[in-house]
Coordinates of all heavy atoms in Angstrom, one line a residue:
M27 N -29.8 36.8 -6.9 CA -28.7 37.0 -7.8 C -29.0 36.3 -9.1 O -28.6 36.8 -10.2 CB -27.4 36.5 -7.0 CG -26.1 36.8 -7.9 SD -26.0 38.6 -8.0 CE -24.4 38.6 -8.6
E28 N -29.4 35.0 -9.0 CA -29.6 34.2 -10.3 C -30.7 34.9 -11.1 O -30.7 34.9 -12.4 CB -30.0 32.9 -10.0 CG -28.9 32.0 -9.4 CD -28.8 32.2 -7.9 OE1 -29.7 32.7 -7.3 OE2 -27.6 31.9 -7.3
F29 N -31.7 35.5 -10.4 CA -32.8 36.1 -11.2 C -32.2 37.3 -12.0 O -32.7 37.6 -13.1 CB -33.9 36.6 -10.1 CG -35.1 37.2 -10.9 CD1 -35.9 36.6 -11.7 CD2 -35.1 38.6 -10.7 CE1 -37.0 37.3 -12.4 CE2 -36.1 39.3 -11.4 CZ -37.0 38.7 -12.2
A30 N -31.4 38.1 -11.3 CA -30.9 39.2 -11.9 C -30.0 38.9 -13.2 O -30.1 39.5 -14.2 CB -30.0 40.1 -11.0
S31 N -29.3 37.8 -13.0 CA -28.4 37.4 -14.1 C -29.2 36.9 -15.3 O -28.9 37.1 -16.4 CB -27.3 36.4 -13.7 OG -27.9 35.2 -13.3
S32 N -30.4 36.1 -15.0 CA -31.1 35.6 -16.1 C -31.9 36.7 -16.7 O -32.1 36.7 -18.0 CB -32.1 34.6 -15.5 OG -33.0 35.1 -14.6
F33 N -32.3 37.8 -15.9 CA -33.0 38.9 -16.5 C -32.0 39.7 -17.5 O -32.4 40.0 -18.6 CB -33.5 39.8 -15.4 CG -34.2 41.0 -15.9 CD1 -35.5 40.8 -16.4 CD2 -33.6 42.3 -15.9 CE1 -36.2 42.0 -16.9 CE2 -34.4 43.3 -16.4 CZ -35.7 43.2 -16.8
V34 N -30.8 39.8 -17.2 CA -29.8 40.5 -18.0 C -29.6 39.7 -19.2 O -29.5 40.3 -20.4 CB -28.5 40.7 -17.2 CG1 -27.4 41.1 -18.2 CG2 -28.6 41.7 -16.1
I35 N -29.5 38.4 -19.1 CA -29.3 37.5 -20.3 C -30.6 37.6 -21.2 O -30.4 37.7 -22.4 CB -29.1 36.0 -19.9 CG1 -27.8 35.9 -19.3 CG2 -29.3 35.1 -21.1 CD1 -27.5 34.5 -18.6
N36 N -31.8 37.7 -20.6 CA -33.0 37.9 -21.5 C -33.0 39.1 -22.2 O -33.3 39.3 -23.4 CB -34.2 37.7 -20.7 CG -34.6 36.3 -20.4 OD1 -33.8 35.3 -20.8 ND2 -35.7 36.0 -19.7
I37 N -32.5 40.2 -21.5 CA -32.5 41.6 -22.2 C -31.5 41.6 -23.2 O -31.7 42.1 -24.4 CB -32.1 42.7 -21.0 CG1 -33.2 42.8 -20.1 CG2 -31.8 44.0 -21.8 CD1 -34.6 43.2 -20.7
L38 N -30.3 40.9 -23.1 CA -29.3 40.8 -24.2 C -29.9 40.0 -25.3 O -29.6 40.4 -26.5 CB -28.0 40.2 -23.7 CG -27.2 41.0 -22.7 CD1 -26.1 40.2 -22.1 CD2 -26.7 42.4 -23.2
V39 N -30.6 38.9 -25.1 CA -31.2 38.2 -26.2 C -32.2 39.1 -26.9 O -32.3 39.0 -28.1 CB -31.9 37.0 -25.6 CG1 -32.8 36.2 -26.7 CG2 -30.8 36.0 -25.1
V40 N -33.0 39.8 -26.2 CA -34.0 40.7 -26.8 C -33.4 41.7 -27.7 O -33.8 41.9 -28.9 CB -34.9 41.4 -25.7 CG1 -35.6 42.6 -26.4 CG2 -35.8 40.4 -25.0
V41 N -32.3 42.3 -27.3 CA -31.6 43.3 -28.0 C -31.0 42.7 -29.3 O -31.2 43.3 -30.3 CB -30.4 43.9 -27.2 CG1 -29.6 44.9 -28.1 CG2 -31.0 44.9 -26.1
F42 N -30.4 41.5 -29.2 CA -29.8 40.9 -30.4 C -30.9 40.6 -31.4 O -30.8 40.8 -32.6 CB -29.1 39.6 -29.9 CG -28.7 38.8 -31.1 CD1 -27.6 39.2 -31.9 CD2 -29.4 37.6 -31.5 CE1 -27.3 38.4 -33.1 CE2 -29.2 36.8 -32.6 CZ -27.9 37.2 -33.4
L43 N -32.1 40.0 -30.9 CA -33.2 39.5 -31.8 C -33.8 40.8 -32.4 O -34.1 40.7 -33.7 CB -34.2 38.8 -31.0 CG -33.8 37.4 -30.4 CD1 -34.8 36.7 -29.6 CD2 -33.4 36.5 -31.7
V44 N -34.0 41.9 -31.7 CA -34.7 43.1 -32.3 C -33.7 43.6 -33.3 O -34.2 44.2 -34.5 CB -35.0 44.2 -31.2 CG1 -35.3 45.5 -31.8 CG2 -36.1 43.5 -30.3
I45 N -32.5 43.7 -33.2 CA -31.5 44.2 -34.1 C -31.3 43.3 -35.4 O -31.3 43.7 -36.5 CB -30.2 44.5 -33.5 CG1 -30.3 45.7 -32.5 CG2 -29.1 44.8 -34.5 CD1 -29.1 45.8 -31.7
D46 N -31.3 42.0 -35.1 CA -31.0 41.0 -36.1 C -32.2 40.6 -37.0 O -32.0 40.2 -38.1 CB -30.2 39.8 -35.6 CG -29.6 39.0 -36.6 OD1 -28.7 39.6 -37.4 OD2 -29.8 37.8 -36.8
A47 N -33.3 40.6 -36.5 CA -34.5 40.1 -37.1 C -34.8 40.8 -38.4 O -35.2 40.1 -39.4 CB -35.7 40.1 -36.2
P48 N -34.8 42.1 -38.5 CA -35.1 42.7 -39.8 C -34.1 42.4 -40.8 O -34.4 42.4 -42.1 CB -35.0 44.2 -39.5 CG -35.3 44.3 -38.0 CD -34.7 43.1 -37.5
K49 N -32.9 42.0 -40.5 CA -31.8 41.7 -41.5 C -32.2 40.3 -42.2 O -31.8 40.1 -43.3 CB -30.5 41.4 -40.8 CG -30.0 42.8 -40.3 CD -28.6 42.4 -39.6 CE -28.1 43.7 -38.8 NZ -27.0 43.4 -38.0
H50 N -33.2 39.5 -41.6 CA -33.5 38.3 -42.2 C -34.9 38.2 -42.5 O -35.5 37.2 -42.8 CB -33.2 37.2 -41.1 CG -31.8 37.0 -40.8 ND1 -31.0 36.3 -41.7 CD2 -31.0 37.4 -39.8 CE1 -29.7 36.3 -41.3 NE2 -29.7 37.0 -40.1
G51 N -35.6 39.4 -42.6 CA -37.0 39.5 -43.0 C -38.0 39.0 -42.0 O -39.1 38.6 -42.2
K52 N -37.6 39.1 -40.7 CA -38.4 38.6 -39.6 C -39.0 39.8 -38.9 O -38.5 41.0 -38.9 CB -37.7 37.7 -38.6 CG -37.0 36.5 -39.2 CD -37.9 35.5 -39.6 CE -37.1 34.2 -40.1 NZ -38.0 33.3 -40.7
R53 N -40.0 39.7 -38.0 CA -40.6 40.8 -37.3 C -39.9 41.0 -36.0 O -39.8 40.1 -35.2 CB -42.1 40.5 -37.0 CG -43.0 40.4 -38.2 CD -44.4 40.3 -37.8 NE -45.2 40.1 -39.0 CZ -46.2 39.3 -39.1 NH1 -46.5 38.5 -38.2 NH2 -47.0 39.4 -40.3
A54 N -39.4 42.1 -35.9 CA -38.5 42.4 -34.8 C -39.3 42.3 -33.5 O -38.8 41.9 -32.5 CB -37.8 43.9 -34.9
W55 N -40.4 43.0 -33.4 CA -41.2 43.0 -32.2 C -41.6 41.6 -31.7 O -41.6 41.4 -30.6 CB -42.4 44.0 -32.5 CG -43.4 43.5 -33.3 CD1 -43.6 43.6 -34.7 CD2 -44.5 42.5 -33.0 NE1 -44.5 43.0 -35.3 CE2 -45.2 42.3 -34.3 CE3 -45.0 41.9 -31.9 CZ2 -46.3 41.5 -34.3 CZ3 -46.1 41.1 -32.0 CH2 -46.8 40.9 -33.2
L56 N -42.0 40.8 -32.6 CA -42.3 39.4 -32.3 C -41.1 38.6 -31.7 O -41.3 38.1 -30.6 CB -42.8 38.7 -33.6 CG -43.2 37.2 -33.3 CD1 -44.5 37.1 -32.3 CD2 -43.5 36.5 -34.6
W57 N -40.1 38.7 -32.3 CA -38.9 38.0 -31.8 C -38.4 38.7 -30.5 O -37.9 38.0 -29.6 CB -37.8 37.9 -32.8 CG -38.1 36.9 -33.9 CD1 -38.6 37.1 -35.1 CD2 -38.1 35.5 -33.7 NE1 -38.8 35.9 -35.7 CE2 -38.5 34.9 -34.9 CE3 -37.8 34.7 -32.6 CZ2 -38.6 33.5 -35.0 CZ3 -37.8 33.3 -32.7 CH2 -38.3 32.7 -33.9
G58 N -38.6 40.0 -30.3 CA -38.2 40.6 -29.1 C -39.1 40.2 -27.9 O -38.6 39.9 -26.9
V59 N -40.4 40.1 -28.1 CA -41.3 39.5 -27.0 C -41.0 38.1 -26.8 O -40.9 37.7 -25.6 CB -42.8 39.6 -27.6 CG1 -43.7 38.9 -26.6 CG2 -43.2 41.2 -27.7
L60 N -40.8 37.2 -27.8 CA -40.4 35.8 -27.5 C -39.1 35.7 -26.8 O -39.0 35.0 -25.9 CB -40.4 35.1 -28.9 CG -41.7 34.8 -29.6 CD1 -41.4 34.1 -30.9 CD2 -42.5 33.9 -28.8
G61 N -38.2 36.6 -27.1 CA -36.9 36.6 -26.5 C -37.0 37.0 -25.0 O -36.3 36.4 -24.2
F62 N -37.9 37.9 -24.8 CA -38.0 38.4 -23.4 C -38.6 37.3 -22.5 O -38.1 37.1 -21.4 CB -38.9 39.6 -23.3 CG -39.0 40.2 -22.0 CD1 -38.0 40.8 -21.4 CD2 -40.2 40.0 -21.2 CE1 -38.0 41.4 -20.1 CE2 -40.2 40.5 -19.9 CZ -39.2 41.2 -19.3
F63 N -39.5 36.6 -23.0 CA -40.3 35.5 -22.2 C -39.7 34.2 -22.2 O -39.7 33.4 -21.3 CB -41.8 35.4 -22.6 CG -42.6 36.7 -22.2 CD1 -43.1 37.6 -23.2 CD2 -42.9 36.9 -20.9 CE1 -43.8 38.6 -22.7 CE2 -43.6 38.0 -20.5 CZ -44.0 38.8 -21.4
L64 N -39.0 33.8 -23.4 CA -38.4 32.5 -23.5 C -36.9 32.5 -23.4 O -36.3 31.5 -23.2 CB -38.9 31.9 -24.8 CG -40.4 31.7 -24.9 CD1 -40.7 31.0 -26.3 CD2 -40.9 30.8 -23.8
G65 N -36.3 33.6 -23.6 CA -34.8 33.7 -23.4 C -34.0 33.0 -24.4 O -34.3 33.2 -25.6
T66 N -33.2 32.2 -24.0 CA -32.2 31.5 -24.8 C -32.9 30.5 -25.7 O -32.5 30.1 -26.7 CB -31.1 30.8 -24.0 OG1 -31.7 30.0 -23.0 CG2 -30.2 31.8 -23.4
I67 N -34.2 29.9 -25.3 CA -34.9 29.1 -26.1 C -35.4 29.7 -27.4 O -35.2 29.2 -28.5 CB -36.1 28.4 -25.3 CG1 -35.6 27.4 -24.2 CG2 -37.0 27.8 -26.3 CD1 -36.7 27.0 -23.4
A68 N -35.9 30.9 -27.2 CA -36.3 31.7 -28.4 C -35.0 32.1 -29.3 O -35.1 32.1 -30.5 CB -36.9 33.0 -28.0
L69 N -33.9 32.3 -28.7 CA -32.7 32.6 -29.5 C -32.3 31.4 -30.2 O -31.9 31.4 -31.5 CB -31.5 33.0 -28.5 CG -30.1 33.2 -29.2 CD1 -30.3 34.4 -30.2 CD2 -29.1 33.5 -28.2
G70 N -32.3 30.2 -29.6 CA -32.1 29.0 -30.4 C -33.0 28.7 -31.5 O -32.6 28.4 -32.7
I71 N -34.3 28.9 -31.3 CA -35.3 28.8 -32.3 C -35.0 29.7 -33.5 O -35.1 29.4 -34.7 CB -36.7 28.9 -31.8 CG1 -37.0 27.7 -30.9 CG2 -37.7 29.0 -32.9 CD1 -38.3 27.8 -30.1
Y72 N -34.7 31.0 -33.1 CA -34.5 32.0 -34.2 C -33.3 31.7 -35.0 O -33.2 31.9 -36.2 CB -34.2 33.4 -33.4 CG -33.9 34.5 -34.4 CD1 -34.8 35.1 -35.2 CD2 -32.5 34.9 -34.5 CE1 -34.3 36.2 -36.1 CE2 -32.1 35.9 -35.4 CZ -33.0 36.5 -36.1 OH -32.6 37.4 -37.0
L73 N -32.2 31.3 -34.3 CA -31.0 30.9 -35.1 C -31.3 29.7 -36.1 O -30.7 29.7 -37.2 CB -29.8 30.6 -34.1 CG -29.3 31.8 -33.4 CD1 -28.3 31.3 -32.3 CD2 -28.8 32.9 -34.3
I74 N -32.1 28.8 -35.6 CA -32.4 27.6 -36.5 C -33.3 28.1 -37.7 O -33.0 27.7 -38.8 CB -33.2 26.6 -35.7 CG1 -32.3 26.0 -34.7 CG2 -33.8 25.6 -36.6 CD1 -33.0 25.1 -33.7
Q75 N -34.2 29.1 -37.4 CA -35.0 29.7 -38.5 C -34.2 30.5 -39.5 O -34.6 30.6 -40.6 CB -36.1 30.6 -37.8 CG -37.1 29.9 -37.1 CD -38.3 29.5 -37.9 OE1 -38.7 30.4 -38.8 NE2 -38.9 28.4 -37.7
T76 N -33.1 31.1 -39.1 CA -32.3 32.0 -40.0 C -31.1 31.2 -40.5 O -30.0 31.8 -40.8 CB -31.9 33.2 -39.3 OG1 -31.2 32.9 -38.0 CG2 -33.1 34.1 -38.9
D77 N -31.1 29.9 -40.7 CA -30.2 29.1 -41.2 C -28.8 29.0 -40.5 O -27.8 28.9 -41.2 CB -30.0 29.4 -42.7 CG -31.2 29.1 -43.5 OD1 -31.9 28.1 -43.3 OD2 -31.4 29.8 -44.5
R78 N -28.8 29.3 -39.3 CA -27.6 29.1 -38.4 C -27.9 27.9 -37.5 O -28.0 28.0 -36.3 CB -27.3 30.4 -37.7 CG -26.9 31.6 -38.6 CD -26.7 32.8 -37.9 NE -28.0 33.5 -37.9 CZ -28.2 34.7 -37.4 NH1 -27.2 35.4 -36.9 NH2 -29.3 35.3 -37.4
K79 N -28.2 26.8 -38.1 CA -28.7 25.6 -37.4 C -27.8 25.0 -36.4 O -28.3 24.7 -35.3 CB -29.1 24.6 -38.5 CG -30.2 25.0 -39.5 CD -30.6 24.0 -40.3 CE -31.7 24.4 -41.3 NZ -32.7 25.2 -41.0
V80 N -26.6 24.9 -36.6 CA -25.7 24.3 -35.7 C -25.7 25.0 -34.3 O -25.9 24.5 -33.3 CB -24.3 24.0 -36.2 CG1 -23.4 23.5 -35.1 CG2 -24.3 23.1 -37.4
L81 N -25.4 26.3 -34.4 CA -25.4 27.1 -33.2 C -26.7 27.2 -32.5 O -26.9 27.1 -31.3 CB -24.9 28.5 -33.6 CG -24.9 29.5 -32.4 CD1 -23.8 29.0 -31.3 CD2 -24.5 30.9 -32.9
G82 N -27.9 27.2 -33.3 CA -29.2 27.3 -32.9 C -29.6 26.0 -32.1 O -30.1 26.0 -31.0
W83 N -29.2 24.8 -32.6 CA -29.5 23.6 -32.0 C -28.7 23.4 -30.6 O -29.1 22.9 -29.7 CB -29.2 22.5 -32.9 CG -30.4 22.1 -33.8 CD1 -30.4 22.3 -35.2 CD2 -31.7 21.7 -33.5 NE1 -31.7 22.1 -35.7 CE2 -32.4 21.7 -34.7 CE3 -32.3 21.4 -32.2 CZ2 -33.7 21.2 -34.6 CZ3 -33.7 21.0 -32.3 CH2 -34.3 20.9 -33.5
V84 N -27.5 23.8 -30.6 CA -26.6 23.8 -29.5 C -27.2 24.7 -28.4 O -27.3 24.1 -27.2 CB -25.2 24.3 -29.8 CG1 -24.3 24.4 -28.5 CG2 -24.5 23.2 -30.7
I85 N -27.6 25.9 -28.7 CA -28.2 26.8 -27.7 C -29.5 26.3 -27.2 O -29.8 26.1 -26.0 CB -28.3 28.2 -28.3 CG1 -27.0 28.8 -28.5 CG2 -29.3 29.0 -27.4 CD1 -27.0 30.2 -29.2
L86 N -30.3 25.7 -28.2 CA -31.6 25.2 -27.8 C -31.5 23.9 -26.8 O -32.1 23.9 -25.8 CB -32.4 24.8 -29.0 CG -33.9 24.4 -28.8 CD1 -34.6 25.5 -28.2 CD2 -34.5 24.0 -30.1
I87 N -30.6 23.0 -27.2 CA -30.5 21.8 -26.4 C -29.9 22.2 -25.0 O -30.4 21.7 -24.0 CB -29.6 20.7 -27.1 CG1 -30.4 20.2 -28.4 CG2 -29.2 19.6 -26.2 CD1 -29.6 19.4 -29.3
V88 N -28.9 22.9 -25.0 CA -28.3 23.4 -23.6 C -29.3 24.1 -22.8 O -29.5 23.9 -21.6 CB -27.0 24.2 -23.8 CG1 -26.5 24.8 -22.6 CG2 -25.9 23.4 -24.5
S89 N -30.2 24.9 -23.4 CA -31.2 25.7 -22.6 C -32.2 24.8 -22.1 O -32.6 24.9 -21.0 CB -31.8 26.7 -23.5 OG -31.0 27.7 -23.9
V90 N -32.7 23.8 -22.9 CA -33.7 22.9 -22.4 C -33.2 21.9 -21.3 O -33.8 21.7 -20.3 CB -34.3 22.1 -23.6 CG1 -35.1 20.9 -23.2 CG2 -35.1 23.0 -24.6
I91 N -32.0 21.5 -21.5 CA -31.4 20.6 -20.5 C -31.2 21.5 -19.2 O -31.5 21.0 -18.0 CB -30.1 20.1 -20.9 CG1 -30.3 19.0 -22.0 CG2 -29.2 19.5 -19.7 CD1 -29.0 18.5 -22.6
G92 N -30.8 22.7 -19.3 CA -30.6 23.6 -18.1 C -31.9 23.8 -17.4 O -32.0 23.7 -16.2
Y93 N -33.1 24.1 -18.2 CA -34.3 24.2 -17.5 C -34.9 22.9 -16.9 O -35.4 23.0 -15.8 CB -35.4 24.8 -18.5 CG -35.2 26.3 -18.9 CD1 -35.0 26.6 -20.2 CD2 -35.3 27.2 -17.9 CE1 -34.8 28.0 -20.4 CE2 -35.2 28.5 -18.1 CZ -35.0 28.9 -19.4 OH -34.8 30.2 -19.7
I94 N -34.6 21.9 -17.5 CA -35.0 20.5 -17.0 C -34.3 20.3 -15.6 O -34.8 19.9 -14.6 CB -34.8 19.4 -17.9 CG1 -35.8 19.5 -19.1 CG2 -34.8 18.0 -17.2 CD1 -35.6 18.5 -20.2
L95 N -33.0 20.5 -15.6 CA -32.2 20.3 -14.3 C -32.6 21.4 -13.3 O -32.7 20.9 -12.2 CB -30.7 20.6 -14.7 CG -30.0 19.5 -15.5 CD1 -28.6 19.9 -15.8 CD2 -30.1 18.1 -14.8
L96 N -32.9 22.6 -13.7 CA -33.5 23.5 -12.7 C -34.8 23.0 -12.1 O -35.0 23.1 -10.8 CB -33.7 24.8 -13.3 CG -34.2 26.0 -12.5 CD1 -33.3 26.3 -11.3 CD2 -34.6 27.2 -13.3
I97 N -35.7 22.5 -12.9 CA -37.0 21.9 -12.4 C -36.8 20.8 -11.4 O -37.4 20.7 -10.4 CB -37.9 21.6 -13.6 CG1 -38.4 22.9 -14.3 CG2 -39.1 20.8 -13.0 CD1 -39.1 22.7 -15.5
I98 N -35.9 19.9 -11.8 CA -35.5 18.7 -11.0 C -35.0 19.2 -9.7 O -35.4 18.7 -8.6 CB -34.5 17.8 -11.7 CG1 -35.3 17.1 -12.9 CG2 -33.9 16.7 -10.8 CD1 -34.4 16.3 -13.7
F99 N -34.0 20.2 -9.7 CA -33.4 20.8 -8.4 C -34.5 21.4 -7.5 O -34.5 21.0 -6.4 CB -32.3 21.7 -8.8 CG -31.8 22.3 -7.6 CD1 -30.9 21.7 -6.8 CD2 -32.1 23.7 -7.2 CE1 -30.3 22.3 -5.7 CE2 -31.6 24.3 -6.1 CZ -30.7 23.6 -5.3
I100 N -35.4 22.1 -8.1 CA -36.5 22.8 -7.4 C -37.4 21.6 -6.7 O -37.8 21.7 -5.5 CB -37.3 23.7 -8.1 CG1 -36.5 24.9 -8.5 CG2 -38.6 24.0 -7.5 CD1 -37.1 25.8 -9.5
L101 N -37.7 20.6 -7.4 CA -38.6 19.5 -7.0 C -37.9 18.8 -5.8 O -38.5 18.4 -4.8 CB -39.0 18.5 -8.1 CG -39.9 19.2 -9.1 CD1 -40.2 18.1 -10.2 CD2 -41.2 19.5 -8.5
I102 N -36.6 18.5 -6.0 CA -35.8 17.8 -4.9 C -35.8 18.7 -3.7 O -35.9 18.3 -2.5 CB -34.4 17.4 -5.4 CG1 -34.5 16.3 -6.5 CG2 -33.5 17.1 -4.2 CD1 -33.2 16.1 -7.2
A103 N -35.6 20.0 -3.8 CA -35.5 21.0 -2.7 C -36.8 21.0 -1.9 O -36.8 20.9 -0.8 CB -35.0 22.3 -3.2
I104 N -37.9 21.0 -2.8 CA -39.3 21.0 -2.1 C -39.5 19.7 -1.4 O -40.0 19.7 -0.3 CB -40.4 21.3 -3.2 CG1 -40.2 22.7 -3.7 CG2 -41.7 21.0 -2.6 CD1 -41.2 23.0 -4.9
A105 N -39.2 18.6 -2.0 CA -39.3 17.3 -1.3 C -38.5 17.2 0.0 O -38.9 16.7 0.9 CB -38.9 16.1 -2.3
F106 N -37.3 17.8 -0.1 CA -36.5 17.7 1.1 C -37.0 18.7 2.2 O -37.0 18.3 3.4 CB -35.0 18.2 0.8 CG -34.1 18.4 1.9 CD1 -33.5 17.2 2.5 CD2 -33.8 19.6 2.5 CE1 -32.7 17.3 3.5 CE2 -32.9 19.7 3.5 CZ -32.4 18.5 4.1
L107 N -37.6 19.8 1.8 CA -38.1 20.7 2.8 C -39.4 20.1 3.5 O -39.6 20.3 4.7 CB -38.4 22.1 2.2 CG -37.3 22.9 1.8 CD1 -37.7 24.2 1.2 CD2 -36.5 23.3 3.2
F108 N -40.2 19.3 2.7 CA -41.4 18.7 3.3 C -41.1 17.5 4.1 O -41.9 17.0 4.9 CB -42.4 18.4 2.2 CG -43.1 19.6 1.8 CD1 -43.2 20.1 0.4 CD2 -44.0 20.5 2.6 CE1 -43.9 21.1 0.1 CE2 -44.7 21.5 2.3 CZ -44.6 21.9 1.0
S109 N -39.9 16.9 3.8 CA -39.5 15.7 4.7 C -39.0 16.0 6.0 O -38.9 15.2 6.8 CB -38.5 14.9 3.8 OG -37.3 15.6 3.9
L110 N -38.7 17.3 6.2 CA -38.2 17.7 7.6 C -39.2 17.7 8.7 O -40.1 17.8 9.1 CB -37.5 19.0 7.4 CG -36.2 19.2 6.6 CD1 -35.7 20.5 6.6 CD2 -35.2 18.2 7.1

């Protein structure tokens, strides 16, 4: 379920980046590919690049913290499974 929701979020990020990038003189295909693979991190970087810095930094920091917490959770789960 989480994979499906993150996939939908990445698709929404791609659609936004592909539509908005030409308005700011950026390459739509490049930002679309980055948005697909990096998701909200690419969105944060894009917003910072297009002078929407506050929103960009908020999205970037929240995304990085979320990914760090996910990695920590996975490592704890693996450690717990191997300790059984």
Side-chain angles (χ1 to χ4, degrees):
M27 186 67 169
E28 292 82 20
F29 177 74
S31 63
S32 66
F33 184 72
V34 170
I35 290 172
N36 280 4
I37 295 299
L38 293 173
V39 168
V40 167
V41 169
F42 173 76
L43 291 175
V44 167
I45 291 171
D46 197 57
K49 296 177 187 175
H50 296 281
K52 307 288 184 187
R53 294 185 180 137
W55 65 270
L56 175 64
W57 284 103
V59 170
L60 289 174
F62 184 75
F63 288 111
L64 300 177
T66 53
I67 291 176
L69 178 62
I71 293 170
Y72 173 78
L73 292 173
I74 292 168
Q75 290 266 323
T76 56
D77 293 329
R78 295 175 270 185
K79 295 186 186 315
V80 174
L81 180 60
W83 278 111
V84 169
I85 290 173
L86 186 63
I87 290 170
V88 169
S89 297
V90 168
I91 290 171
Y93 284 121
I94 290 171
L95 290 175
L96 179 65
I97 291 169
I98 290 171
F99 176 74
I100 290 171
L101 291 175
I102 290 172
I104 290 172
F106 179 74
L107 287 175
F108 281 121
S109 68
L110 294 178

